[in-house]
Amino acid sequence: MSQPSHLPYSGIASFARAPVVEPGGEWSADVAVLGIPFDIALGFRPGARYAPRALREASLRYVPPFTDLSGRTRLAGVTLADAGDVVLPSLEPELARERITQAAGQVRSRSRLPVFLGGDHSVTYPLLRAFHDVPDLHIIQLDAHLDFTDVRNDTRYSNSSPFRRAVEDLPNLVHITTLGLRGLRFDPEAVAAAGERGHTLVPMEEVEDLFRDVIGALPEGRPVYLSVDADAFDPAVLPGTSSPEPDGFTYGLAMRVIREVVRRHHLVGMDLVELAPNLDPSGRSSLIGARLILETLAEALDG
Amino acid sequence: MSQPSHLPYSGIASFARAPVVEPGGEWSADVAVLGIPFDIALGFRPGARYAPRALREASLRYVPPFTDLSGRTRLAGVTLADAGDVVLPSLEPELARERITQAAGQVRSRSRLPVFLGGDHSVTYPLLRAFHDVPDLHIIQLDAHLDFTDVRNDTRYSNSSPFRRAVEDLPNLVHITTLGLRGLRFDPEAVAAAGERGHTLVPMEEVEDLFRDVIGALPEGRPVYLSVDADAFDPAVLPGTSSPEPDGFTYGLAMRVIREVVRRHHLVGMDLVELAPNLDPSGRSSLIGARLILETLAEALDG
Amino acid sequence: MSQPSHLPYSGIASFARAPVVEPGGEWSADVAVLGIPFDIALGFRPGARYAPRALREASLRYVPPFTDLSGRTRLAGVTLADAGDVVLPSLEPELARERITQAAGQVRSRSRLPVFLGGDHSVTYPLLRAFHDVPDLHIIQLDAHLDFTDVRNDTRYSNSSPFRRAVEDLPNLVHITTLGLRGLRFDPEAVAAAGERGHTLVPMEEVEDLFRDVIGALPEGRPVYLSVDADAFDPAVLPGTSSPEPDGFTYGLAMRVIREVVRRHHLVGMDLVELAPNLDPSGRSSLIGARLILETLAEALDG
Amino acid sequence: MSQPSHLPYSGIASFARAPVVEPGGEWSADVAVLGIPFDIALGFRPGARYAPRALREASLRYVPPFTDLSGRTRLAGVTLADAGDVVLPSLEPELARERITQAAGQVRSRSRLPVFLGGDHSVTYPLLRAFHDVPDLHIIQLDAHLDFTDVRNDTRYSNSSPFRRAVEDLPNLVHITTLGLRGLRFDPEAVAAAGERGHTLVPMEEVEDLFRDVIGALPEGRPVYLSVDADAFDPAVLPGTSSPEPDGFTYGLAMRVIREVVRRHHLVGMDLVELAPNLDPSGRSSLIGARLILETLAEALDG
Amino acid sequence: MSQPSHLPYSGIASFARAPVVEPGGEWSADVAVLGIPFDIALGFRPGARYAPRALREASLRYVPPFTDLSGRTRLAGVTLADAGDVVLPSLEPELARERITQAAGQVRSRSRLPVFLGGDHSVTYPLLRAFHDVPDLHIIQLDAHLDFTDVRNDTRYSNSSPFRRAVEDLPNLVHITTLGLRGLRFDPEAVAAAGERGHTLVPMEEVEDLFRDVIGALPEGRPVYLSVDADAFDPAVLPGTSSPEPDGFTYGLAMRVIREVVRRHHLVGMDLVELAPNLDPSGRSSLIGARLILETLAEALDG
Amino acid sequence: MSQPSHLPYSGIASFARAPVVEPGGEWSADVAVLGIPFDIALGFRPGARYAPRALREASLRYVPPFTDLSGRTRLAGVTLADAGDVVLPSLEPELARERITQAAGQVRSRSRLPVFLGGDHSVTYPLLRAFHDVPDLHIIQLDAHLDFTDVRNDTRYSNSSPFRRAVEDLPNLVHITTLGLRGLRFDPEAVAAAGERGHTLVPMEEVEDLFRDVIGALPEGRPVYLSVDADAFDPAVLPGTSSPEPDGFTYGLAMRVIREVVRRHHLVGMDLVELAPNLDPSGRSSLIGARLILETLAEALDG
């Protein structure tokens, strides 16, 4: 009999039972996890502040290494660290962004692959600022919405604007591919601005047919930051999100896209945002989110 | 920066922020919305009485006009009015039906396209009575159940009987097409009666293949009343309904059917019934319902 | 039989079925209601953004006038108006505070008694700014917490600080009486600062014994702003609040205190804040909140 | 070790594991239970239709006989039968009332003490019709509301009117004592009509002081029908009810009143109505309801 | 008008309104239902103890016989009996297994087709012991997980091990076909052990393509025990289960597999396990579970 | 401005932000916390397995030191450690008890005051075994139930028996005082056995009057283990518990009792058991539980 180990509901929940570290402490790891429990920039139903904790708890069902049905073992020699959550202020958005960028930078400098647990999608902007020095940075975004709006509800920093702010600040951010777009309404100015920059916008109904081409159209081996918005998923699959849109990704399709990304390019960071555990009493939203992260790690680091 | 506007959870919720009117007041609009918070005729789990309010609240995420990804703007010049809810009695079903018919008639006479928010499906009978003067009236019904039963649980007016009562009362109602039928049990007498009248019954598993043919088989340009039962949808997609049946419509398929209907025929009225917001803590059922209505309006009025 | 009227779940929900007006429009009323769906300044569990709508819906069980058991009819000739919600930005707290103060001022100038539906407690600061011209202003605060902290979690504008900011800005605000204080921890600097200003702090366990004396100790007939934090209540009575503390007010005791206030002084405004309907599936929190407001109006305007 | 027995969540749930009988079958018992899952006559939040099943399930924690702390064993030799639920139609209120009266009569004729599980309070009228032959019938009603209204929302048969209809139909019903009245609004016509008939109306705040006097003022040994509305209770104690009012009965006070009733008079029937299990995810409402019934039986039959 | 009958929420809930019997009593039936409310052997989220009662309640929407759209009536002459639940101890797992085996044997000997309502998947082991005398027994398992682990979390009797224990005890159990396998992690020892025994393991993504071949590869007419784990289903379809895995069976595909099984082989028993009604506030998980059982009966007994 | 610190929903949740240690590691602290997520020995509604994590999360609102309204600061110099949860097996109760006793002993030997987070009440037996060497050990138990039953539902180790097993095993356990007893049924054998041993049993309705006498009747300065069952509380106050009984402790009364205990005696350990966070969507049950622990520590260590 092997060493006793905790059941998923037992033990203090760090991500996948990784050792807990300080973002600015002395450590290094293949993968480092950082939570950003910030959700005051969304315009509808709050709850993403609970996601980092919920994702850690859900991750306890998926502690690596994994052996699959064919006998292949993955993430066996990979080291993980959990850097906890960014210490955020109440209400002060600019200060919050500074702290997020700083902690993300610390985590990035100590790991090969940082994983960020949002928070609403506005946090991707300060997270990306920690990648300002990555030449030729590409983003792959799975999302129902474009999130490239200049101003929404009188602010430039809502969860509709992270990528607009990022391209303004980061000259190294050369291209964004957004997959899964759908919904009744788009901001025409944002669509035009993305088009002018040459971004690739893929409506949901074309993802299955086009994703290989779109990912393959990028020069191979690009440094890619992957940003997964929970509302990319079909709300039947992942109901716990502020602004669901019907007919989205299945888990399987999302993983096929991600597999293609990490196979052809170099993953330098990822986030999972807009997960609202409070809107899903079944708990499956957090479980799927945690599994997506761990399966992405397995694909990226064992590929 | 544009004029400040309310976030979806803010402001008094009329449908899509339309002006509020009295059903019998002095107004006219392209589209008029009327709620019927009546759910005492269903035989299982109540809650449809909460649907009109929930649909109004959800509609605030979809206030027209909409610009889609291709830049096309829809519902830009279309006027909407919200006529509130029918003032219903407690318990007295006959009086309730009279009031529903009267208010529906008032709303219909003041708008090009009335939209009715149920309520359980029994309300479709008194609603249809307000269309007694439309020659050659056709119904397209999206529904898991036939709802053509003569008597159920000792009543002729339950949510299983609206179309049976309607065909008895309305000589102008010439044909019903029901799409999405499934489930373990059907009322054989009702199936036979519908068959004798020449109604078209399409099981769910054949909808995708047959819907164009079935809709195309009707003489073009017919006046069509569209009745959408929430249980037409797959319960994974729309769990908030009294009597769910697995393996139903996706949102996308429902919209493809509706698009075909409004492209070939003339939409004279629609209802969305059997939505039970209390059975879906994720809120996605109401959001999908509101979007379906608004997207149908965009298809019907901008087509 | 009287004129048919809506059941509580029916009809578009303005507060107590009052006519809907614009804050800056042309109207006047004895009582005006204004919602402030702002909850990004609290430090724990969001949801107060849903309170204005929930309180309006709950108020439909208590549409005046009321006749009590003794036959006395109250609020019969009193006019109400519902000014809707302040149009708030996302995220931009300073702009939010400006809009709140402006709308509150508009509502105040058009009514004898404005009633504000929060929102978290931070909104009381911009609300009070609309009372900057009331000489000798007193506040009666029902609250588990002091909310007089200078800085919390790096901000001066959280829901822990509204009264601190108010006394800094409003020289006319001469005194605050806080009833219901309890909990494990107090900010010693805040307690000291309140003490230096001569505020009256009444722990919950002494409220029953002291409230008459404390209210009676103020010079009679003072202009009083009443601020009711939902967490003043015992969480058994009102569970839907971000930061509950056990052993609080019953509804009856709260009303006895309020009755004493309005009997001896002059109510110039009131708010109900920190109600989080999403944390109470039984719905009783919103029902109690709405009743408290309407019963306060009855006491204040019919006394 | 005693005979194995089911855990409360196990086994088919009849009331307190009583044998299941047909209302009109061949059986007799000291106590007989009959469910009336009818809730279409209430004017707010449905759910009382689920109460008979929920009360049966909750009763499994309280299967008699009971031994108390002092060693006294109660309900040891008492026989119980569960007559299931009245078979009700959908929607047809008059037919429903007929069936309720018939089944209640059958159950009454086969038992010493029938116990009725509502349903909304409207069911008490047809239940009482089964007691038309009890001379000098008295009612003790625990309720926040008077339920003596002539017409509400255009019907004479809502849950606001059961006792008004009963006194019209039953000349033998000589007196009603209502304890627990509270709330903002009363129907003045109903209050006057009850007053004219000499009914005793006790506001909640006077129950503790007056209940012995009020019950003692009735001639001793009267046949009493006890009607317990779930909203008599404080909603903190019993949140699962359609129309809660704060500051109601504790369980202990309710039992003290009931104990006094059964000690001085002769209990000929009882009902528990307006319990809405769907509004209380904690489950305590059903547990308290079931316990109240069983403890009342213990008091009435072992006294 | 036909004989009045109960609405689904009415009446004491035996499975599909079958007569209630004792497992060891004097009765016989075509189909007998037995509940096993045991869930202390799962390693994550409890709730399967509530499934037998929830499945009985849900079954009331599907009381046979059924007439389908084509007019075919099914389960018309088939007799059902509900043997209630096994009387289980608290905590004592070995005693629990004995009682389960004994009751299952009693039920099996009195019926053609016993149906077992779990409980977690550990109960399948003691259930299968009641089939020790069926020569050449085959199992068809619909499941996300293999459940063939030797030891997990220090026990040999968890819900991960029922089939491992069964093959050790039952020499007559010759083959297991598992369909629907997926997830990040498999127990390599268990996979190897199943492989050595020649079991057939079908990953979820291959079920649609392979199920006919796999079922057809077994010698025709085998006695088959069908074990359906609720987590075989896509969690969008059936969210109420302890350990969901994305991208599972639709209801339709599950029924196609089952139809193929019962068409080619001889169904000798079935169970539905791991349903956790407490994790699905929409109720659809129980409704789907009950329908699956009744539709399987219709296929097996009318085929 | 002080050092930034986490909001309660932020950061990895150890109890009151205490450093995380291994039960058997090298550390010492004034107070050490150990979780026991074990709930398979209760006979009704599971969920106590989630309590250790929920109590840790709730404790983040109450991180010491605390300053009270009078300016007194408490728990300032006290060191805390969080030893995580006992690593428990699935299903194997004897092994679970061994692991609990071992970990409790390790924690006890490294701290002045160990605090145990249940789990159901059965865990108190193996916890007490770690106190076998405390001469003259007394227990103060706050509980609705006696939990002194010999055998229940065929087991000797359920949550009804912890103290019976403890007195059999621990000759040093000389006396138990149980406060808060209530409910319909008691096990007469257990009551007699407790009486024979001279235990003190205080019904809930006498607690307020008797608690000082009862605690004062023990010889002063006794080593006391405090066991708090969540169902000691009134379910209105703390609804999240498996087996609630109405009319229990308020928070204030419980703290008055505990204050008296720690003032007169020497607290050597405490547990909080039977908290089921899953049964309380308002979250107040966990918040009250965490506060009770921290306030008890403040009383015991600063007294």
Side-chain angles (χ1 to χ4, degrees), chain E residues 246-280:
Chain E
D247 292 326
F249 278 93
T250 62
Y251 181 80
L253 179 56
M255 280 312 306
R256 285 163 59 204
V257 170
I258 292 173
R259 227 171 268 130
E260 189 73 11
V261 170
V262 302
R263 197 176 62 84
R264 296 188 60 96
H265 302 289
H266 173 57
L267 192 64
V268 298
M270 76 173 287
D271 62 47
L272 174 63
V273 297
E274 297 286 346
L275 182 77
N278 53 316
L279 296 173
D280 177 8

Side-chain angles (χ1 to χ4, degrees), chain C residues 42-45 145 151-154 181 183-186 188 191 201 203 235-236 239 243-247 279 281 284, chain F residues 1 4-9 61-63 65-69 74 236-237 250-252 281-284 287-288 291 294-295:
Chain C
L42 54 74
F44 193 29
R45 304 185 297 177
H145 311 104
V151 176
R152 194 210 70 206
N153 293 104
D154 311 304
L181 292 164
L184 273 187
R185 50 191 322 157
F186 287 86
V191 174
L201 311 188
S243 298
E245 301 288 350
D247 292 329
L279 296 174
R284 69 189 189 271
Chain F
M1 192 182 298
S5 65
H6 277 301
L7 290 155
Y9 51 81
R61 272 196 72 217
Y62 306 109
V63 178
F66 319 124
T67 302
D68 67 17
L69 203 50
R74 298 194 292 171
V237 171
T250 61
Y251 181 79
S282 83
R284 68 189 189 273
L287 289 167
I288 285 174
R291 180 173 160 181
L294 282 153
E295 194 159 1

Side-chain angles (χ1 to χ4, degrees), chain E residues 34-108:
Chain E
L34 179 71
I36 308 103
F38 178 92
D39 69 0
I40 67 174
L42 52 76
F44 193 30
R45 303 185 299 176
R49 71 182 63 186
Y50 304 126
R53 199 168 278 166
L55 286 165
R56 285 187 178 97
E57 296 185 6
S59 75
L60 304 183
R61 272 196 72 218
Y62 306 109
V63 177
F66 321 123
T67 304
D68 66 17
L69 203 50
S70 72
R72 183 175 54 141
T73 296
R74 299 194 291 173
L75 292 179
V78 172
T79 56
L80 276 82
D82 187 331
D85 293 333
V86 182
V87 180
L88 292 167
S90 275
L91 200 66
E92 301 293 334
E94 188 168 348
L95 179 56
R97 290 192 293 271
E98 284 168 22
R99 296 236 187 104
I100 295 168
T101 301
Q102 184 191 26
Q106 290 171 327
V107 161
R108 204 193 133 215

Side-chain angles (χ1 to χ4, degrees), chain E residues 145-165:
Chain E
H145 311 104
L146 191 53
D147 293 353
F148 203 70
T149 284
D150 192 23
V151 176
R152 195 209 70 207
N153 292 105
D154 311 305
T155 186
R156 304 175 69 239
Y157 297 101
S158 80
N159 66 340
S160 296
S161 302
F163 298 105
R164 187 65 166 268
R165 294 292 87 77

Side-chain angles (χ1 to χ4, degrees), chain C residues 6-303:
Chain C
H6 278 300
L7 290 155
Y9 50 83
S10 179
I12 289 173
S14 67
F15 196 83
R17 307 256 183 236
V20 177
V21 298
E22 289 292 317
E26 297 227 355
W27 55 274
S28 72
D30 293 325
V31 176
V33 173
L34 178 71
I36 309 104
F38 177 92
D39 70 358
I40 67 173
L42 54 74
F44 193 29
R45 304 185 297 177
R49 71 182 63 186
Y50 304 126
R53 200 168 279 166
L55 286 166
R56 286 188 178 97
E57 295 184 7
S59 75
L60 306 183
R61 274 196 71 217
Y62 306 108
V63 178
F66 320 123
T67 303
D68 67 17
L69 203 50
S70 71
R72 183 175 55 140
T73 296
R74 299 194 292 172
L75 292 179
V78 172
T79 56
L80 275 82
D82 188 329
D85 291 334
V86 182
V87 180
L88 293 167
S90 274
L91 201 67
E92 300 294 333
E94 189 168 347
L95 178 58
R97 290 191 294 272
E98 285 167 23
R99 296 235 188 104
I100 296 168
T101 300
Q102 182 191 28
Q106 291 171 326
V107 161
R108 202 190 135 217
S109 70
R110 287 159 177 79
S111 65
R112 285 167 56 199
L113 180 48
V115 174
F116 304 110
L117 314 175
D120 65 45
H121 218 155
S122 76
V123 306
T124 299
Y125 164 51
L127 289 172
L128 284 171
R129 292 195 306 201
F131 293 80
H132 65 94
D133 60 345
V134 177
D136 201 25
L137 181 66
H138 286 63
I139 288 175
I140 306 284
Q141 174 194 2
L142 272 53
D143 205 331
H145 311 104
L146 191 54
D147 293 353
F148 203 69
T149 283
D150 191 24
V151 176
R152 194 210 70 206
N153 293 104
D154 311 304
T155 186
R156 304 175 70 240
Y157 297 101
S158 80
N159 67 340
S160 295
S161 302
F163 298 105
R164 187 66 166 268
R165 294 293 88 77
V167 301
E168 290 170 355
D169 267 27
L170 301 176
N172 61 313
L173 172 41
V174 297
H175 188 264
I176 300 177
T177 305
T178 309
L179 301 113
L181 292 164
R182 59 200 195 275
L184 273 187
R185 50 191 322 157
F186 287 86
D187 172 357
E189 194 276 341
V191 174
E196 276 162 33
R197 279 184 50 92
H199 292 179
T200 306
L201 311 188
V202 186
M204 187 67 231
E205 61 269 28
E206 300 176 14
V207 169
E208 179 120 35
D209 289 344
L210 297 187
F211 79 88
R212 279 177 215 280
D213 293 348
V214 156
I215 294 164
L218 304 177
E220 213 170 328
R222 291 307 85 191
V224 166
Y225 181 95
L226 175 68
S227 185
V228 180
D229 188 314
D231 64 29
F233 283 97
D234 195 297
V237 170
L238 193 160
T241 192
S242 178
S243 298
E245 301 288 350
D247 292 329
F249 279 93
T250 61
Y251 181 80
L253 179 57
M255 280 314 305
R256 284 162 60 203
V257 170
I258 291 172
R259 227 171 268 130
E260 189 73 12
V261 169
V262 302
R263 197 178 62 83
R264 296 187 60 96
H265 302 289
H266 173 57
L267 193 64
V268 298
M270 77 173 286
D271 63 46
L272 175 62
V273 297
E274 298 286 346
L275 182 77
N278 53 318
L279 296 174
D280 176 9
S282 82
R284 69 189 189 271
S285 299
S286 301
L287 290 167
I288 286 174
R291 181 174 160 181
L292 177 125
I293 291 169
L294 283 153
E295 195 159 0
T296 299
L297 296 180
E299 297 292 341
L301 300 175
D302 287 330

Side-chain angles (χ1 to χ4, degrees), chain E residues 214-234:
Chain E
V214 156
I215 293 164
L218 304 177
E220 213 171 327
R222 291 308 86 190
V224 166
Y225 181 96
L226 174 69
S227 185
V228 181
D229 188 314
D231 63 30
F233 284 96
D234 194 298

Side-chain angles (χ1 to χ4, degrees), chain B residues 139-202:
Chain B
I139 288 175
I140 306 284
Q141 175 194 4
L142 272 53
D143 206 331
H145 311 105
L146 190 54
D147 293 354
F148 203 70
T149 283
D150 191 25
V151 176
R152 195 209 70 205
N153 293 104
D154 311 304
T155 186
R156 305 176 68 239
Y157 297 101
S158 80
N159 66 341
S160 296
S161 302
F163 298 105
R164 187 64 167 270
R165 294 293 86 78
V167 300
E168 291 170 353
D169 266 28
L170 301 176
N172 61 314
L173 171 41
V174 297
H175 188 264
I176 300 178
T177 305
T178 310
L179 300 114
L181 292 164
R182 61 199 193 276
L184 272 186
R185 50 193 321 158
F186 286 86
D187 171 358
E189 195 275 342
V191 174
E196 275 162 35
R197 280 184 49 92
H199 293 179
T200 306
L201 311 188
V202 186

